[in-house]
Amino acid sequence: MEQLILQETFKGINLPHQYDTTLKLLISPSNEREAEEAIAGGADIIDVKNPAEGSLGANFPWVIKKIRDITPKRLQVSCTLGEIPNLPGSISLAALGAASLGVDYIKVGLFGIKKSEEAVRLLESVNRAAKECNPQIKVTSAGYADAEKIGTIDPMLVPEIAKQAKIDVVMIDTYAKDGKTLFDNLSLKKVKSFVDCAHSLGLEVALAGSLRKQDLSVVYDLGADVVGIRGAACLRGNRVSGEITRELVSELVRTIKQAEHSSMRV
């Protein structure tokens, strides 16, 4: 029955996907204890953020460094620079600081950006600052599925912007954490178009936005490389007051493995 529902959901969308058949699970702890739980639960990427400061809220350098230190080298670590304004100088300085902490990815939320040329200039500055410090680091640009509501740049423009800025990864998230998911804000066809456009430009793709365990098979079939989760890994599903547990992370890992065996993606 689930497979029939999935086939109906993806009717008219070009599947299967021709890219990598794995989906990495990114879990976003806010402190060392949560990071230990995410690691024990089997997360692939430990993404340090501060949910008290927003959907992509930045954490403190000492928290990021400590989490990098306790995370096994086989796992990747990322951190956010926050919901950023159109201030290339300030944000490139923040990028340099984040890159110096030994993380594998830094993530920029295009919150205060309204035009493509502004986004390209800002991301070029971030990319230069980060990679002059660490040439191996990957820069991620996040657009918002609810961009129209908050008056920021259309997320469908982000892949081309990222290509022009010569960064590595694109992402869609949601700014408002109001119970609505990525798929409540953007249709499956639009998200699939985002994924395929980004891949055609040689970019990695991450999807996030209040995603639940039951959304993971859909994310898998859309062809994303990374899925970002916090709320669904927290007690009571509360991304701010709940804490990440290894049991909930393990459930998400199992769900992705189940998707690998039953999915339409090859």
Side-chain angles (χ1 to χ4, degrees), residues 152-221:
T152 192
I153 197 162
D154 183 348
M156 303 304 290
L157 300 175
V158 172
E160 184 57 42
I161 289 167
K163 180 66 174 178
Q164 290 183 44
K166 296 182 173 59
I167 66 167
D168 311 281
V169 188
V170 292
M171 179 178 190
I172 301 183
D173 202 340
T174 53
Y175 177 76
K177 301 302 179 183
D178 55 3
K180 293 185 177 180
T181 73
L182 165 65
F183 302 119
D184 292 319
N185 287 279
L186 287 178
S187 70
L188 284 172
K189 286 188 177 182
K190 275 200 168 185
V191 179
K192 186 70 170 85
S193 176
F194 177 92
V195 172
D196 286 348
C197 176
H199 279 151
S200 74
L201 296 172
L203 301 163
E204 294 179 44
V205 182
L207 297 179
S210 299
L211 295 172
R212 305 156 299 179
K213 183 172 72 171
Q214 59 264 40
D215 295 317
L216 293 179
S217 62
V218 177
V219 172
Y220 188 90
D221 279 309

